Amino acid sequence: MNKTFITYAYFFLLILLSSSCNAKKIKPSIECEIINSDRNEIVFSVHKNKMVDVAIVLRENSDKTVFPAEDKSVPLSSKIYLNELEKYGDNNYLLYYEKNNKLEKIELLIMAHNPNASYFIDVFTTKSARSGSKASKLDTVISFPITILANMPDKQASNVVCRNMTSNSLEISCQNGNGRGRIIVASLNAEAEKPRNGQEYKVGKFADTNCLIGKHSYVVYNSTIMSDLFVKLDNLQQGTYYFAAYEFNGEGKFINYNLKEENRNTRQYTLPVPPPKMKPAKDITQNSFIMNWEPIEDVLRYEISLSKDENFVTVDEFFNNADIGDTNEFPFENLEEGITYYCKVRAIMKNSRPSEYSEVQKVQLKK
């Protein structure tokens, strides 16, 4: 049985009682556990001392519960369908109550309830079990709030794509599934963390703590508008970015995310290395000049290109992404006198990643 949304894991309530059984003092206890709660079923378990009478009530809202009538009796059933039960009071269902039942474990499987709903499970026990008195009136022991999520979308968001990447920005988008809305979560140098059901998230820029999920992920898109718009992320650090898109239904505490990884709803992109920063050309003559730029750390080599047009439609055959090693300047010689030249450079890093090209530099030779 899959656990989809557990409101309480374990709750222990010790009830002290001074009594005699086989010449030994016994301390009856009640241990309650919600094993599973989702849109299909609630599984609730009570472990008790066999001396204790227990009644279990499902309540539809947060109003004060009504104690079960002492003359009612509801035996243990393998499955309980709410639409087959009669209410007592305005909003209470008596799920189980039998006097003098010696069971030590009671497990209830509650079926057929609605999504987007809130319930309380109230557990009652005999007053004598809690106080040591001889009275048998039922009294409240503990209440468990349960939230039933909205139906999960069955078609996940898909095809996360990225475009217009620079060294510090990119645009991200995905195609819609069939949820009420979707979110895109982003993370740097680690897989994006998943949202939690029953919790809504604010949207913001990457690294904005107001839109944080978990420890290192951020919600960069959150919308119920059915569109495939691209979201631009800027002022990004260098590194590899991980993205995940999730469909959801419901809102507030009922929100239910489809957390499956399918249909290419997760992707990762590594930003290109920033381009070298050009310095003004130096030692310009009639047929030569020296191209130079600021050095980059962890560079393996530089590649330079030279052209007579600024769009590099025609590139000098010898200087077309020419590998010049790790030096950060290069002399061009034996050029045509008085001509205007254009040059650019890119870095190839030690991890083989190329940088973007530098800005194109215009150099007018002397006449």
Side-chain angles (χ1 to χ4, degrees):
M1 182 180 300
N2 292 327
K3 297 185 179 181
T4 59
F5 185 78
I6 300 179
T7 311
Y8 278 78
Y10 286 91
F11 190 98
F12 297 96
L13 181 65
L14 298 180
I15 308 170
L16 301 180
L17 173 66
S18 297
S19 64
S20 175
C21 180
N22 295 328
K24 294 182 180 180
K25 289 187 176 181
I26 297 177
K27 294 181 179 179
S29 64
I30 293 179
E31 177 185 318
C32 304
E33 177 187 1
I34 296 176
I35 299 175
N36 185 63
S37 63
D38 62 24
R39 62 191 177 100
N40 296 315
E41 61 187 34
I42 300 172
V43 182
F44 184 74
S45 177
V46 177
H47 295 258
K48 70 180 185 68
N49 185 286
K50 61 184 179 180
M51 296 175 59
V52 179
D53 287 342
V54 167
I56 303 174
V57 172
L58 185 75
R59 181 160 41 100
E60 287 187 333
N61 58 43
S62 58
D63 292 342
K64 185 177 180 180
T65 187
V66 179
F67 295 162
E70 294 289 335
D71 58 350
K72 283 185 175 290
S73 179
V74 177
L76 188 62
S77 176
S78 59
K79 287 186 180 181
I80 300 172
Y81 293 88
L82 293 187
N83 57 359
E84 297 177 0
L85 293 180
E86 292 185 8
K87 290 184 180 181
Y88 77 91
D90 293 330
N91 57 359
N92 298 276
Y93 297 93
L94 182 57
L95 305 180
Y96 168 79
Y97 176 51
E98 286 184 295
K99 287 186 177 181
N100 303 316
N101 190 304
K102 303 303 181 182
L103 290 175
E104 294 187 358
K105 180 179 180 181
I106 302 167
E107 187 167 288
L108 302 179
L109 176 56
I110 308 165
M111 307 293 294
H113 46 269
N114 299 320
N116 295 299
S118 294
Y119 298 97
F120 287 80
I121 290 183
D122 299 320
V123 180
F124 299 83
T125 188
T126 49
K127 188 174 182 180
S128 58
R130 297 194 301 114
S131 64
S133 70
K134 295 182 179 180
S136 61
K137 181 180 178 180
L138 291 170
D139 202 358
T140 306
V141 172
I142 190 65
S143 293
F144 292 80
I146 297 177
T147 298
I148 308 302
L149 301 176
N151 293 329
M152 185 184 76
D154 53 24
K155 183 181 178 182
Q156 182 64 288
S158 61
N159 298 324
V160 174
V161 294
C162 180
R163 70 180 186 186
N164 296 335
M165 281 193 297
T166 70
S167 59
N168 65 357
S169 67
L170 55 79
E171 293 179 350
I172 191 78
S173 187
C174 67
Q175 292 180 330
N176 299 329
N178 65 350
R180 174 177 170 268
R182 69 210 42 81
I183 67 173
I184 298 178
V185 183
S187 179
L188 174 61
N189 296 330
E191 290 189 4
E193 295 161 286
K194 294 181 178 181
R196 297 180 62 181
N197 287 327
Q199 182 172 341
E200 289 187 313
Y201 296 92
K202 294 181 179 179
V203 63
K205 295 182 178 181
F206 187 85
D208 181 352
T209 55
N210 290 323
C211 60
L212 183 67
I213 280 186
K215 296 181 179 180
H216 56 75
S217 303
Y218 302 88
V219 177
V220 295
Y221 179 84
N222 186 347
S223 178
T224 57
I225 299 174
M226 297 301 175
S227 63
D228 295 330
L229 296 177
F230 278 83
V231 179
K232 184 174 182 179
L233 307 180
D234 50 20
N235 298 319
L236 300 177
Q237 300 178 29
Q238 274 290 299
T240 299
Y241 285 82
Y242 292 76
F243 298 95
Y246 301 108
E247 293 287 307
F248 65 81
N249 278 331
E251 57 185 325
K253 65 181 180 179
F254 303 114
I255 196 167
N256 193 359
Y257 299 94
N258 183 338
L259 300 178
K260 297 178 182 178
E261 294 185 5
E262 58 187 6
N263 301 329
R264 296 172 297 280
N265 71 316
T266 60
R267 294 292 298 273
Q268 67 184 69
Y269 296 96
T270 300
L271 293 182
V273 178
K277 293 183 179 180
M278 298 292 288
K279 293 182 178 180
K282 61 183 181 180
D283 297 342
I284 301 173
T285 69
Q286 290 179 324
N287 60 1
S288 67
F289 70 92
I290 296 177
M291 172 187 182
N292 65 117
W293 55 90
E294 294 181 5
I296 295 178
E297 293 184 3
D298 297 321
V299 71
L300 177 65
R301 66 180 188 274
Y302 294 99
E303 294 179 351
I304 60 173
S305 295
L306 182 69
S307 176
K308 294 179 182 178
D309 66 88
E310 60 182 334
N311 295 320
F312 287 77
V313 175
T314 57
V315 183
D316 186 287
E317 183 177 353
F318 188 78
F319 294 114
N320 184 7
N321 290 332
D323 179 351
I324 62 167
D326 60 0
T327 180
N328 65 310
E329 67 176 31
F330 186 83
F332 290 103
E333 299 175 337
N334 301 319
L335 303 176
E336 294 184 37
E337 293 185 8
I339 296 295
T340 299
Y341 283 91
Y342 300 88
C343 57
K344 61 183 180 179
V345 60
R346 70 174 180 178
I348 306 298
M349 310 306 292
K350 290 180 179 178
N351 60 8
S352 298
R353 288 176 55 205
S355 76
E356 296 179 289
Y357 274 103
S358 68
E359 61 182 8
V360 175
Q361 187 174 65
K362 178 181 178 181
V363 180
Q364 174 65 57
L365 297 182
K366 293 181 178 180
K367 296 181 179 179

